[in-house]
Amino acid sequence: MDLRSIGMGLAFAFMWSSAFTSARMIVADAPPLTALALRFLVSGLIGIALAAALGQSARLSRASWRGVVIFGICQNALYLGFNFVAMQWVEASLAAIVASTMPLLVALAGWLIFGERVRPLGVFGLLLGMSGVALIMGTRLSGGVEVLGLVFCGIGVLALTFATLAVRGASAGGNVLMVVGLQMLVGSAVLAVVAALTEPWQVTWSARLFWAFAYTTLVPGLMATWIWFMLVARIGAVRAATFHFLNPFFGVLVAWALLGERLGIWDVVGVVIVALGILAVQWAKVPGRA
């Protein structure tokens, strides 16, 4: 893995993790699903415009269209939709930690449902990661965390896990930005319908809302997704997914730095355990490394 790939992986992990803090800022002043639908609309249109300017086509293969629909619904509408609603009640750091367990859940589902062989290092990583999650959840629950918000975060990461399993092997066929933009428009359409039926239009306009919305739209929403696709094309999905072990660190760190969220000793211990578990699971998948 060269330095450019490492830089791309670090950038992706930081951008992805920081989205929870900016989302927490947004839902403090705006209805979550409406804001998310608008975010995806803007990101999607920008992505498609840039893709068209680069000569990318919307004429995709059947597998690519399936990925667009599945990811648009499961990742953008369900995963992020449930997380945005949940962050009205739970801290951004906790939402980031729950979401970062996706690689563990993918590995666990592949083992239990699809009968995929898991090396001893992978099994150790699964057990280690889940124990870290249990430690953090036990600490937060005893501290009075909102259970409904935690459940919504759990539903969201399960939707993302399903999407990841469902479209394994699907390729963007060189139309990376076009696929990203189309996925976001699918998510925007689904969320707009739900928001219109369930949310009132109540917005507290502020500079923080503007900058948080602009950041989450352009950086985690568009740039991080594009970098992820490029990283996968460069080093492969297995090696790229190794960078997920940084997500708990960055998620907790950004929330602590920008929102002043609590960071207890057991949170730190739990994050380290989860990160090591994710790293072990992903490292076990790299040929010749287990």
Side-chain angles (χ1 to χ4, degrees):
M1 191 181 299
D2 57 17
L3 289 177
R4 183 176 180 182
S5 298
I6 294 174
M8 292 170 65
L10 291 173
F12 163 76
F14 180 82
M15 293 175 186
W16 187 91
S17 303
S18 67
F20 297 92
T21 295
S22 58
R24 178 80 165 164
M25 295 178 180
I26 291 171
V27 302
D29 295 326
L33 297 183
T34 302
L36 189 57
L38 183 59
R39 166 199 156 176
F40 282 136
L41 177 62
V42 175
S43 295
L45 292 176
I46 292 174
I48 290 173
L50 290 175
L54 293 171
Q56 297 184 15
S57 172
R59 299 179 64 181
L60 307 177
S61 67
R62 182 176 297 180
S64 293
W65 274 114
R66 184 175 66 249
V68 165
V69 174
I70 291 176
F71 261 97
I73 294 174
C74 293
Q75 175 178 280
N76 296 340
L78 293 178
Y79 162 63
L80 286 173
F82 273 108
N83 271 278
F84 261 60
V85 174
M87 276 185 286
Q88 296 175 109
W89 311 304
V90 302
E91 294 180 327
S93 56
L94 181 58
I97 291 169
V98 174
S100 70
T101 62
M102 185 271 290
L104 299 175
L105 295 176
V106 169
L108 183 62
W111 181 25
L112 297 179
I113 299 175
F114 299 103
E116 295 178 352
R117 179 173 173 266
V118 180
R119 292 169 173 166
L121 179 61
V123 176
F124 172 75
L126 282 171
L127 296 175
L128 189 65
M130 293 305 177
S131 66
V133 172
L135 175 62
I136 294 171
M137 293 307 147
T139 303
R140 293 298 182 94
L141 286 172
S142 63
V145 70
E146 175 61 51
V147 176
L148 180 60
L150 188 58
V151 170
F152 278 7
C153 289
I155 294 174
V157 75
L158 288 176
L160 181 59
T161 300
F162 171 79
T164 303
L165 290 169
V167 299
R168 284 183 302 180
S171 171
N175 297 310
V176 175
L177 269 178
M178 183 63 71
V179 167
V180 170
L182 291 171
Q183 288 175 356
M184 291 179 177
L185 291 188
V186 170
S188 177
V190 173
L191 288 167
V193 173
V194 178
L197 296 174
T198 61
E199 289 184 341
W201 178 255
Q202 296 178 346
V203 180
T204 302
W205 299 103
S206 65
R208 188 179 78 160
L209 174 61
F210 172 80
W211 289 114
F213 183 85
Y215 176 82
T216 196
T217 299
L218 298 176
V219 180
L222 189 60
M223 192 178 297
T225 308
W226 176 69
I227 289 176
W228 171 253
F229 274 97
M230 298 300 291
L231 183 63
V232 169
R234 187 177 180 87
I235 64 175
V238 172
R239 286 182 171 85
T242 305
F243 287 98
H244 278 292
F245 90 95
L246 292 169
N247 292 335
F249 286 115
F250 284 145
V252 170
L253 184 62
V254 173
W256 170 75
L258 297 183
L259 299 177
E261 292 188 0
R262 57 180 174 171
L263 188 60
I265 182 61
W266 291 115
D267 291 320
V268 175
V269 173
V271 165
V272 171
I273 293 174
V274 172
L276 291 176
I278 295 171
L279 181 61
V281 167
Q282 298 303 139
W283 201 245
K285 296 179 182 179
V286 178
R289 294 292 185 182

